[in-house]
Amino acid sequence: MDSQAGSRGDDRLGYDFLIHDGDATYLYEVKASTSNSGEIVLGEPEVRRASRLTPGETYFIVYVSHVLDRRVISIMPNPFGAPDLDGYEMVSTQLRLRFNFG
């Protein structure tokens, strides 16, 4: 098992931790809350990476609730890998477009 511990972080990658285990690659995005809001926001790099996996890659969201006191950790599946966002509810959609029509 190989990880990139000690590497400098890069928010543009769309994940916080990457672990290689043989032919499998596991990508982990960590989200935290001081309560248990049951809601997260995925930024553009996270959406891009989670929705465009290559064969052998698996994407997880690690949700840490009550981060300032008792810390409850939940490992959640990739919302883009779940049929019809199974287990998730889309709260809002936003699409930002650049255009060039004259």
Side-chain angles (χ1 to χ4, degrees), residues 11 13 18 28-29 48 54-55 61-62 68 76-77 80 96-97 101:
D11 285 338
L13 295 175
L18 177 141
Y28 296 90
E29 173 61 27
R48 187 180 320 108
T54 62
I61 297 172
V62 179
L68 297 179
M76 304 184 308
F80 297 97
R96 180 177 173 183
L97 301 170
F101 292 111

Short mmCIF file of all heavy atoms in Angstrom, two decimals, residues 11 13 18 28-29 48 54-55 61-62 68 76-77 80 96-97 101:
data_model
loop_
_atom_site.label_atom_id
_atom_site.label_comp_id
_atom_site.label_asym_id
_atom_site.label_seq_id
_atom_site.Cartn_x
_atom_site.Cartn_y
_atom_site.Cartn_z
N ASP A 11 -5.39 21.92 -3.63
CA ASP A 11 -6.85 21.91 -3.66
C ASP A 11 -7.42 21.70 -5.05
O ASP A 11 -8.59 21.38 -5.21
CB ASP A 11 -7.41 23.21 -3.07
CG ASP A 11 -7.30 23.25 -1.57
OD1 ASP A 11 -7.20 22.17 -0.94
OD2 ASP A 11 -7.31 24.36 -1.00
N LEU A 13 -6.75 19.29 -7.01
CA LEU A 13 -6.81 17.87 -7.34
C LEU A 13 -8.20 17.27 -7.17
O LEU A 13 -8.53 16.29 -7.81
CB LEU A 13 -5.81 17.09 -6.48
CG LEU A 13 -4.34 17.43 -6.71
CD1 LEU A 13 -3.47 16.68 -5.71
CD2 LEU A 13 -3.93 17.11 -8.14
N LEU A 18 -4.79 10.25 -1.34
CA LEU A 18 -4.78 9.24 -2.39
C LEU A 18 -3.96 8.07 -1.88
O LEU A 18 -2.85 8.25 -1.37
CB LEU A 18 -4.15 9.83 -3.66
CG LEU A 18 -4.00 8.89 -4.83
CD1 LEU A 18 -4.30 9.64 -6.12
CD2 LEU A 18 -2.60 8.30 -4.88
N TYR A 28 -9.80 10.08 -1.32
CA TYR A 28 -10.61 10.48 -0.18
C TYR A 28 -10.71 12.00 -0.12
O TYR A 28 -9.69 12.69 -0.10
CB TYR A 28 -10.01 9.98 1.13
CG TYR A 28 -9.98 8.48 1.23
CD1 TYR A 28 -8.88 7.76 0.77
CD2 TYR A 28 -11.04 7.79 1.79
CE1 TYR A 28 -8.86 6.37 0.87
CE2 TYR A 28 -11.02 6.41 1.89
CZ TYR A 28 -9.93 5.70 1.42
OH TYR A 28 -9.90 4.33 1.51
N GLU A 29 -11.92 12.50 -0.10
CA GLU A 29 -12.18 13.93 0.11
C GLU A 29 -12.76 14.08 1.51
O GLU A 29 -13.76 13.42 1.84
CB GLU A 29 -13.16 14.46 -0.93
CG GLU A 29 -13.62 15.87 -0.70
CD GLU A 29 -12.48 16.89 -0.71
OE1 GLU A 29 -11.45 16.67 -1.36
OE2 GLU A 29 -12.63 17.92 -0.04
N ARG A 48 -15.45 17.51 -10.48
CA ARG A 48 -14.75 17.08 -11.69
C ARG A 48 -14.05 15.73 -11.45
O ARG A 48 -14.18 14.81 -12.23
CB ARG A 48 -13.73 18.13 -12.12
CG ARG A 48 -13.07 17.82 -13.45
CD ARG A 48 -12.04 18.85 -13.91
NE ARG A 48 -12.40 20.22 -13.66
CZ ARG A 48 -11.81 21.00 -12.72
NH1 ARG A 48 -10.84 20.53 -11.97
NH2 ARG A 48 -12.19 22.25 -12.56
N THR A 54 -11.05 6.91 -13.42
CA THR A 54 -10.54 5.93 -14.37
C THR A 54 -10.75 4.54 -13.78
O THR A 54 -10.99 4.40 -12.57
CB THR A 54 -9.04 6.17 -14.66
OG1 THR A 54 -8.30 6.03 -13.46
CG2 THR A 54 -8.81 7.55 -15.25
N PRO A 55 -10.66 3.48 -14.61
CA PRO A 55 -10.82 2.13 -14.07
C PRO A 55 -9.80 1.88 -12.94
O PRO A 55 -8.65 2.27 -13.04
CB PRO A 55 -10.54 1.23 -15.28
CG PRO A 55 -10.92 2.08 -16.46
CD PRO A 55 -10.52 3.49 -16.06
N ILE A 61 -16.08 10.09 0.23
CA ILE A 61 -16.15 11.32 1.01
C ILE A 61 -16.11 10.92 2.48
O ILE A 61 -16.86 10.06 2.93
CB ILE A 61 -17.44 12.10 0.71
CG1 ILE A 61 -17.45 12.52 -0.76
CG2 ILE A 61 -17.57 13.31 1.64
CD1 ILE A 61 -18.74 13.13 -1.24
N VAL A 62 -15.18 11.52 3.20
CA VAL A 62 -15.06 11.29 4.64
C VAL A 62 -15.66 12.50 5.33
O VAL A 62 -15.15 13.61 5.20
CB VAL A 62 -13.58 11.11 5.05
CG1 VAL A 62 -13.47 10.90 6.55
CG2 VAL A 62 -12.94 9.97 4.28
N LEU A 68 -15.23 19.77 16.61
CA LEU A 68 -14.60 20.46 17.73
C LEU A 68 -14.71 19.71 19.05
O LEU A 68 -14.07 20.09 20.03
CB LEU A 68 -15.20 21.86 17.90
CG LEU A 68 -14.97 22.81 16.72
CD1 LEU A 68 -15.64 24.15 17.00
CD2 LEU A 68 -13.50 22.98 16.44
N MET A 76 -18.54 7.93 3.23
CA MET A 76 -19.69 7.94 2.31
C MET A 76 -19.22 7.63 0.90
O MET A 76 -18.10 7.98 0.52
CB MET A 76 -20.38 9.30 2.37
CG MET A 76 -20.80 9.66 3.79
SD MET A 76 -21.73 11.22 3.96
CE MET A 76 -20.74 12.41 3.12
N PRO A 77 -20.07 6.99 0.10
CA PRO A 77 -19.68 6.64 -1.26
C PRO A 77 -19.66 7.86 -2.18
O PRO A 77 -20.22 8.92 -1.87
CB PRO A 77 -20.76 5.65 -1.70
CG PRO A 77 -21.96 6.06 -0.91
CD PRO A 77 -21.42 6.53 0.42
N PHE A 80 -21.39 10.37 -7.42
CA PHE A 80 -21.49 10.17 -8.87
C PHE A 80 -21.44 8.71 -9.25
O PHE A 80 -21.71 8.36 -10.39
CB PHE A 80 -20.39 10.96 -9.59
CG PHE A 80 -20.52 12.43 -9.38
CD1 PHE A 80 -19.79 13.07 -8.40
CD2 PHE A 80 -21.43 13.18 -10.12
CE1 PHE A 80 -19.93 14.43 -8.18
CE2 PHE A 80 -21.58 14.53 -9.90
CZ PHE A 80 -20.83 15.16 -8.94
N ARG A 96 -22.18 27.56 -13.78
CA ARG A 96 -21.55 28.81 -14.17
C ARG A 96 -20.95 28.61 -15.55
O ARG A 96 -20.13 27.72 -15.76
CB ARG A 96 -20.47 29.18 -13.17
CG ARG A 96 -19.77 30.47 -13.50
CD ARG A 96 -18.77 30.81 -12.44
NE ARG A 96 -17.98 31.95 -12.82
CZ ARG A 96 -17.00 32.44 -12.11
NH1 ARG A 96 -16.68 31.88 -10.96
NH2 ARG A 96 -16.33 33.47 -12.54
N LEU A 97 -21.38 29.43 -16.49
CA LEU A 97 -20.94 29.29 -17.87
C LEU A 97 -20.26 30.54 -18.38
O LEU A 97 -20.68 31.65 -18.07
CB LEU A 97 -22.15 29.01 -18.79
CG LEU A 97 -22.96 27.76 -18.48
CD1 LEU A 97 -24.23 27.76 -19.32
CD2 LEU A 97 -22.16 26.53 -18.73
N PHE A 101 -20.73 34.68 -27.71
CA PHE A 101 -21.70 34.74 -28.80
C PHE A 101 -21.70 36.12 -29.42
O PHE A 101 -22.70 36.80 -29.44
CB PHE A 101 -23.11 34.41 -28.31
CG PHE A 101 -23.29 32.99 -27.89
CD1 PHE A 101 -23.49 32.70 -26.55
CD2 PHE A 101 -23.25 31.96 -28.78
CE1 PHE A 101 -23.66 31.40 -26.12
CE2 PHE A 101 -23.42 30.65 -28.37
CZ PHE A 101 -23.62 30.37 -27.04
#
